[in-house]
Amino acid sequence: FLNASVNPDNAGFCEPCLASGLLSLSSCKQGAPVAVSSPHFLYGDPQLIHNVTGLHPNKEEHATWIDIDPITGFTMHAQKRLQINAVISPDNSLKGMKNIKYVVMPIVYLNESAEIDNKHVDLYNQQLTVPFLIFHILEYALPAFSGIVILISADKHSDYMMNELKNDIF
């Protein structure tokens, strides 16, 4: 939701461009003055928060995040949080709207979450975690065991050769 003044890579992705932390939906909603943001304008322009009473952005409560297993790519837990806002601004064509102050007013806060259940955590551990753990143990144990076998074989071969040498000499 950062605008081009904060993140230049976002230039050209907003029309009309609003304050940082807002994404206008007006082009998708037949010109309706609607914008989407993080709840309580988290990470948005501080002026957005000051214009509305009662907002207290908090990363733990308002951020969107996803927990993905790095080996399988499975989503283990996710939180998608959005706020839909009305963009209210003065309008000279409407008598009652001439002297109002520009404000972005929250309408609704959406919180969607998903989490893998215990049954699937057990299945995941049984079919993926345990085999990977066994593989990683064997990854070090087999070369170590092979090294020990080679050393024992070399020692036995050395003893055999010494006995043969003694027999040949005497």
Side-chain angles (χ1 to χ4, degrees), residues 55-115:
L55 296 181
H56 305 286
N58 178 312
K59 184 178 177 181
E60 287 76 32
E61 293 178 22
H62 303 126
T64 292
W65 56 272
I66 187 166
D67 177 19
I68 298 174
D69 177 70
I71 296 170
T72 62
F74 290 155
T75 299
M76 305 304 267
H77 193 180
Q79 292 274 348
K80 177 63 178 166
R81 296 164 172 155
L82 288 174
Q83 179 173 288
I84 307 298
N85 308 284
V87 180
I88 302 168
S89 57
D91 186 346
N92 290 332
S93 65
L94 297 171
K95 186 177 178 181
M97 299 286 286
K98 288 180 184 178
N99 297 321
I100 66 165
K101 179 178 137 185
Y102 174 85
V103 66
V104 179
M105 185 63 66
I107 299 171
V108 66
Y109 161 10
L110 307 170
N111 183 1
E112 297 177 316
S113 63
E115 185 173 7

Side-chain angles (χ1 to χ4, degrees), residues 93-166:
S93 65
L94 297 171
K95 186 177 178 181
M97 299 286 286
K98 288 180 184 178
N99 297 321
I100 66 165
K101 179 178 137 185
Y102 174 85
V103 66
V104 179
M105 185 63 66
I107 299 171
V108 66
Y109 161 10
L110 307 170
N111 183 1
E112 297 177 316
S113 63
E115 185 173 7
I116 189 169
D117 62 16
N118 289 337
K119 174 186 169 191
H120 287 95
V121 167
D122 292 342
L123 183 65
Y124 174 85
N125 286 332
Q126 182 183 41
Q127 293 186 353
L128 293 171
T129 304
V130 172
F132 272 109
L133 179 62
I134 291 169
F135 174 77
H136 286 301
I137 291 170
L138 290 175
E139 184 178 35
Y140 296 103
L142 286 177
F145 179 73
S146 298
I148 291 169
V149 168
I150 289 170
L151 289 173
I152 291 171
S153 297
D155 184 53
K156 294 294 182 186
H157 181 71
S158 172
D159 288 346
Y160 173 77
M161 292 304 287
M162 287 299 244
N163 284 336
E164 286 294 316
L165 188 59
K166 284 181 187 175

Side-chain angles (χ1 to χ4, degrees), residues 34-47:
V34 179
V36 66
S37 69
S38 291
H40 290 243
F41 302 117
L42 179 68
Y43 307 122
D45 186 325
Q47 191 60 42

Side-chain angles (χ1 to χ4, degrees), residues 1-6 14 16-24 35-37 41 43-48 87 102 104:
F1 299 125
L2 300 177
N3 67 14
S5 68
V6 177
C14 58
C17 292
L18 300 173
S20 190
L22 294 172
L23 178 65
S24 176
V36 66
S37 69
F41 302 117
Y43 307 122
D45 186 325
Q47 191 60 42
L48 295 168
V87 180
Y102 174 85
V104 179

